[in-house]
Amino acid sequence: MGAIYMKTFLDLCIKAIGAEHVILDELDQASYLVDWRNRKRGQALAILRPGSTLEVATLVKICSTYSVNIVPQGGNTGLVLGGIPEVNGSAVVISLKRLNKIRDIDVRNNTITVEAGCLLENVQISAGNSQRLFPLSLASQGSCTIGGNLATNAGGTGVLRYGNMRELCLGLEVVNAKGEVWNGLRALRKDNTGYDLRDLFIGSEGTLGIITAAVLKLYSKPNSQLTAFVALNSMIDAINFLLLIQKRSGAELTGFELMNQFSLDLVHKHFPTFQQVFSVAHPYYALIELSSGETELNLKDRLESSLEVANTSGLIEDAVVCFSESQTANCWQIRESISAAQAKEGRNIKHDISLPISKIADFIFETNHALQERFPGCQMVTFGHLGDGNLHYNISPPEGEVDSDFLQNQVIINQIVHDKTHFFHGSISAEHGIGTLKKQELLRYKSTIELDMMRGIKTALDPENIMNPGKIFETIQ
Ligand SMILES: Cc1cc2nc3c(=O)[nH]c(=O)nc-3n(C[C@H](O)[C@H](O)[C@H](O)COP(=O)(O)OP(=O)(O)OC[C@H]3O[C@@H](n4cnc5c(N)ncnc54)[C@H](O)[C@@H]3O)c2cc1C
């Protein structure tokens, strides 16, 4: 963009939202331009921080007129580089963080209407203040925003019972690529009036439009909740234990998280203040949560009796039921610190995959074997939301090997893991999305028919290709 043209463009942005919300200084821009794991640093013409839907719409119109690409951004906690601009500096980042109002809570309809920049944690707190539950729960909830959660169709630990973000959203407000505001803020559980545009924008990673607000579902707050940490001898046992507890607890089972021993080793190495739950090591662990409208006593009886049945049938090795808040917090902190512990240990090769639950044990057996054959001594950090068939299957270097050397094997390791995932009819991205990190992999595993339909939707909604171009697909010419 020529200097005069660029000055006119920036002057218009300043006129639209005020100079204090147009960030041009390199130092002030820095935190918007690097991803959470510090893997990519982009550049931008400016960081724009609108304060209302109307201001977002005005900015998109200006960008469209001047053919400036837009990268929408929320909390910048995404894990596939979707919210980071390219290094050529030709795009603007539109940060939604100032759109942070709770617009309405309708307790009788069990819905909450929130702006896209609201932190997930603040939405949970607002729901709680009205004796309701907003069940999306992620380790990044203190930093990520509802807009980002919707744009990535976030999952987390409550999906087993409540579904992912798509299932928790009833309506959306979106600024489309022309800068028009679509008000689809419907608070309806049934609405079959043609194509579901809401579902198109959810999971679109900022490539179709900018989500500015949403109507989300609320649930009754449970009266009692219990967590148990369970030691397991094998993946097959873990899956059979999941089936048993699902059968016995039904909708009361609100979490079933898996961790292998190496994940726990990393957490205890880097967070030594967390209490060890078991004194001896086991191959796998499940962290389970039961929630109920009944008293804690009834829930405890049912949980203990299920654990007893599991124990007598040889499915579990050991179990600890948490009876205090601090014990419960300690167990969840262990689970939620696995990502941070890996980051402290060094870099490793990460995969966010999902599989039919019936295939997970075979997948792990075969993939572990294939990787060990090719890279003897490599260490698996296997954890995730087993109840949803979602594994974070990460590969760390053999002990003593430098992480940067091991990372050179990334392409071949990704191929081994993703080929096996595909073989077992799984997905190469369960909850983090595609961004720029997995777009080559997408080409490898999606059919031409599916990719063509996806590109058709992109072209129809964003014909000038200004909405987050280069994310999900290569730039469409
Ligand atoms: C420690 C940690 C744990 C995590 N755990 C989980 C987990 O359990 N489950 C899970 O699903 N994810 C998890 N994540 C990933 C991440 O937190 C989620 O993807 C989250 O939903 C991203 O929200 P955000 O506001 O940070 O979005 P950003 O990172 O800012 O953006 C993510 C994508 O959404 C687009 N976007 C953002 N806001 C908008 C908007 N308003 N309109 C249109 N597009 C937009 C961006 O362009 C980008 O493509 C974790 C991340 C961390 C760091």
Side-chain angles (χ1 to χ4, degrees), residues 155-176:
T157 55
V159 175
L160 179 64
R161 163 70 179 86
Y162 301 102
N164 52 19
M165 202 50 179
R166 189 183 298 287
E167 285 156 272
L168 295 173
C169 175
L170 294 176
L172 285 184
E173 179 187 84
V174 172
V175 172
N176 69 14

Side-chain angles (χ1 to χ4, degrees), residues 23-32:
I23 304 178
L24 299 171
D25 180 81
E26 249 181 63
L27 267 182
D28 294 340
Q29 286 189 355
S31 64
Y32 297 87

Side-chain angles (χ1 to χ4, degrees), residues 182 186 191-200:
W182 168 52
R186 299 174 194 123
D191 176 21
N192 286 348
T193 49
Y195 301 140
D196 196 330
L197 297 178
R198 173 199 56 180
D199 267 358
L200 276 185

Side-chain angles (χ1 to χ4, degrees), residues 20-46:
E20 68 274 35
H21 302 305
V22 176
I23 304 178
L24 299 171
D25 180 81
E26 249 181 63
L27 267 182
D28 294 340
Q29 286 189 355
S31 64
Y32 297 87
L33 299 179
V34 64
D35 73 297
W36 187 80
R37 286 187 180 140
N38 210 2
R39 283 169 306 180
K40 180 176 172 183
R41 197 171 293 273
Q43 282 197 50
L45 280 178

